[in-house]
């Protein structure tokens, strides 16, 4: 067994930080967690890590990411490249995502089912990466948001078939485009795209087969249409209003905020994407202002909130430390660090339907956690201050983060 001794633990359940806490790990799972002076030493402990003065949090979970795209090139350009090149670059992406503390992700719009191959390769142990849920291809109307990488479909019957194709390929979730988006030039983010009837057919197909359904939404019309269609999660939700917030609470739908993507770091930008960055600046600024209202409204109404980086979704959304950035953004939007950590661990685990295994540090769960050198409750940016990342009870090689 492995013993992590005498840490301050933020377990992801929403409980306050627990000082002087130890964690016993048996294989890939947490065997016991509790006061440091109550460790059962009757069974052999092969390795002890002294975590005195350190902080342990659950591995972060990204509920909205595009692992096949590098977040440094515009997607329509990127996908013209050789498929094998993209796949190999994505291996590096997944390794660095894991090494920066994110131990589970939900890919929410893949590339030609490469994400399924990546998921299988990680599970087989060919290289290190986070646990993965996948969605297959984006599903949009003809000419809809992200059409260059999507399965275009029109009418309820075709939507049903499109959903089943993704599930056949191995998807756990389907991703539907309910409004326009910023990453597709010339689109109105307020305008609706897939209709209620179209989305309802796809959602029914997903639910029948035990999968979840999520939709890209900025404008309130798309949010409302998605909820009328029975969507499990609304992604972005930039223009949430009173009516749609109340519908979300009533239906138990989750709002997956993607705050970093609306607030990109423009200092460190590759020259090749400057034009695209300039084009996106104005629409992103408008979105950013509304997203602040959305966060306030969602909290007031008690909407279930999740969080995703949208890394890879456009050239301003890099993968490196993307969930650390989301945590910083959540705190900047008025949440306490403890609430923000709960959203990125426990809440995201529930959105991924994985709360039995990941998201909280409890006996029986997978031993996915991050040891931090500084207190994330005092300064959330300490989630970047990583001492070690563990997935399935094994330490991740830190040199993977390049
Ligand atoms: Zn996205």
């Amino acid at each position: 067994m492995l013993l992590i001794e005498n840490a301050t633990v933020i377990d992801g359940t929403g409980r306050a930080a627990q000082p002087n806490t130890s964690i016993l790990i048996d294989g890939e799972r947490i065997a016991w967690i509790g006061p440091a002076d109550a460790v059962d030493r009757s069974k052999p402990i092969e390795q002890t890590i002294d975590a005195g003065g350190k902080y342990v949090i659950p591995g972060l979970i990204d509920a909205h990411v595009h692992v096949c795209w590098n977040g440094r090139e515009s997607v329509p350009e990127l996908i013209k490249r050789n498929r094998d090149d993209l796949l190999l670059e994505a291996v590096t992406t997944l390794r660095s995502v894991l090494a920066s503390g994110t131990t589970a992700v939900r890919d929410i719009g893949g590339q030609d089912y490469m994400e399924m191959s990546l998921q299988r390769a990680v599970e087989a142990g060919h290289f290190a990466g986070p646990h993965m849920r996948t969605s297959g291809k984006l599903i949009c109307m003809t000419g809809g948001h992200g059409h260059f990488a999507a399965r275009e479909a029109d009418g309820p019957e075709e939507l049903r078939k499109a959903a089943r194709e993704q599930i056949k390929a191995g998807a756990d979730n389907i991703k539907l485009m309910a409004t326009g988006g910023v990453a597709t030039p010339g689109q109105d983010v307020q305008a609706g795209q897939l209709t209620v009837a179209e989305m309802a057919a796809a959602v029914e197909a997903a639910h029948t087969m035990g999968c979840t359904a999520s939709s890209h939404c900025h404008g309130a019309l798309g949010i409302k249409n998605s909820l009328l269609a029975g969507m499990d999660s609304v992604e972005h939700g930039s223009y949430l209003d009173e009516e749609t917030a109340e519908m979300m609470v009533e239906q138990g739908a989750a709002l997956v905020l993607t705050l970093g993507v609306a607030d990109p770091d423009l200092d460190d930008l590759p020259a090749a994407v400057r034009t695209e960055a300039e084009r996106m600046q104005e629409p992103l600024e408008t979105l950013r202002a509304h997203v602040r209202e959305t966060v306030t409204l969602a909290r007031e109404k008690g909407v279930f909130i999740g969080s995703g980086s949208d890394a890879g979704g456009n050239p301003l959304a890099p993968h490196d430390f993307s969930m650390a950035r989301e945590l910083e953004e959540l705190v900047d939007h008025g949440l306490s660090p403890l609430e923000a950590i709960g959203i990125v661990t426990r809440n995201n685990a529930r959105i991924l339907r994985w709360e039995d295994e990941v998201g909280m540090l409890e006996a029986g769960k997978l031993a996915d956690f991050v040891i931090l050198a500084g207190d994330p409750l005092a300064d959330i940016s300490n989630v970047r201050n990583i001492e070690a990342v563990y997935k399935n009870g094994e330490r991740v090689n830190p040199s993977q983060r390049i």
Side-chain angles (χ1 to χ4, degrees):
M1 288 216 275
L2 163 68
L3 174 64
I4 307 289
E5 199 168 37
N6 209 21
T8 298
V9 174
I10 298 149
D11 63 13
T13 64
R15 281 205 306 173
Q18 305 291 308
N20 308 319
T21 295
S22 292
I23 308 171
L24 267 174
I25 293 142
D26 189 4
E28 62 180 20
R29 291 185 187 270
I30 297 171
W32 179 89
I33 178 165
D37 57 10
V39 176
D40 174 7
R41 293 174 188 273
S42 62
K43 284 187 195 153
I45 294 167
E46 283 89 20
Q47 195 192 357
T48 300
I49 310 275
D50 176 13
K54 307 287 194 314
Y55 298 80
V56 175
I57 59 171
L60 307 180
I61 301 174
D62 190 343
H64 184 131
V65 65
H66 306 276
V67 303
C68 301
W69 304 329
N70 64 22
R72 275 305 184 224
E73 289 172 71
S74 90
V75 178
E77 289 305 311
L78 180 74
I79 62 178
K80 290 178 191 159
R81 281 169 43 198
N82 178 300
R83 178 194 154 107
D84 295 345
D85 292 351
L86 295 185
L87 187 62
L88 291 167
E89 188 171 9
V91 170
T92 303
T93 296
L94 286 175
R95 284 159 53 111
S96 79
V97 163
L98 176 63
S100 59
T102 299
T103 53
V105 301
R106 176 171 72 167
D107 187 273
I108 200 139
Q111 176 68 45
D112 210 10
Y113 307 124
M114 288 193 310
E115 65 285 4
M116 317 295 189
S117 303
L118 291 160
Q119 179 189 37
R120 284 190 292 270
V122 167
E123 277 171 19
H126 298 322
F127 63 92
H131 301 289
M132 282 174 70
R133 294 279 202 231
T134 58
S135 311
K137 293 181 185 177
L138 309 166
I139 302 172
C140 73
M141 65 173 201
T142 295
H145 177 42
H147 61 84
F148 36 81
R151 161 67 156 98
E152 290 177 301
D154 301 290
E157 287 312 311
E158 225 180 300
L159 261 290
R160 194 188 315 277
K161 189 167 176 58
R164 287 175 177 162
E165 284 169 8
Q166 310 321 308
I167 296 164
K168 180 184 178 188
D172 312 286
N173 175 64
I174 58 162
K175 168 76 175 302
L176 303 161
M177 295 308 202
T179 71
V182 176
T184 308
Q187 291 209 337
D188 178 358
V189 298
Q190 296 282 8
Q193 293 199 348
L194 289 171
T195 65
V196 176
E198 286 174 321
M199 290 193 281
V203 170
E204 187 196 27
H207 285 171
T208 303
M209 295 179 77
C211 297
T212 53
S214 59
S215 64
H216 160 101
C217 302
H218 290 299
L221 172 64
I223 302 175
K224 187 171 178 181
N225 287 348
S226 299
L227 295 168
L228 291 171
M231 211 65 66
D232 300 297
S233 71
V234 164
E235 309 291 312
H236 318 297
S238 314
Y239 289 82
L240 189 75
D241 59 12
E242 292 251 340
E243 184 192 10
T244 48
E246 282 163 12
M247 284 174 79
M248 292 195 76
V249 173
E250 208 166 289
Q251 294 181 210
L255 172 66
V256 177
L257 296 169
T258 56
L259 301 175
V261 77
D263 187 18
D265 186 355
L266 298 172
D267 296 338
D268 166 39
L269 214 55
V273 297
R274 288 231 172 260
T275 327
E276 175 78 345
E278 276 159 29
R279 180 188 71 76
M280 288 174 62
Q281 213 157 339
E282 202 191 302
L284 285 178
E285 234 162 72
T286 316
L287 275 188
R288 192 152 62 233
H290 283 276
V291 168
R292 286 215 173 256
E293 291 170 27
T294 284
V295 176
T296 309
L297 180 64
R299 294 181 72 209
E300 268 172 24
K301 297 282 182 187
V303 174
F304 188 84
I305 298 175
S307 163
S309 66
D310 209 359
N314 72 57
L316 313 185
H319 288 279
D320 198 32
F321 275 115
S322 56
M323 287 313 289
R325 182 158 174 84
E326 286 307 312
L327 282 164
E328 289 163 350
E329 289 278 348
L330 284 164
V331 170
D332 184 61
H333 281 69
L335 283 88
S336 75
L338 189 65
E339 284 175 290
I341 290 170
I343 284 173
V344 168
T345 56
R346 178 191 63 243
N347 286 16
N348 278 354
R350 197 166 128 193
I351 291 166
L352 271 60
R353 302 274 162 92
W354 229 342
E355 66 267 46
D356 292 349
E357 299 273 57
V358 299
M360 285 172 278
L361 300 178
E362 291 175 332
K365 299 240 159 73
L366 290 174
D368 295 350
F369 57 92
V370 186
I371 304 178
L372 302 171
D375 182 359
L377 302 186
D379 177 0
I380 194 64
S381 291
N382 275 322
V383 291
R384 295 173 186 266
N385 206 348
I386 292 176
E387 286 270 320
V389 178
Y390 283 78
K391 182 196 161 203
N392 288 349
E394 270 181 46
R395 186 167 180 178
V396 174
N397 182 349
S399 69
Q400 287 180 172
R401 214 193 65 70
I402 50 168

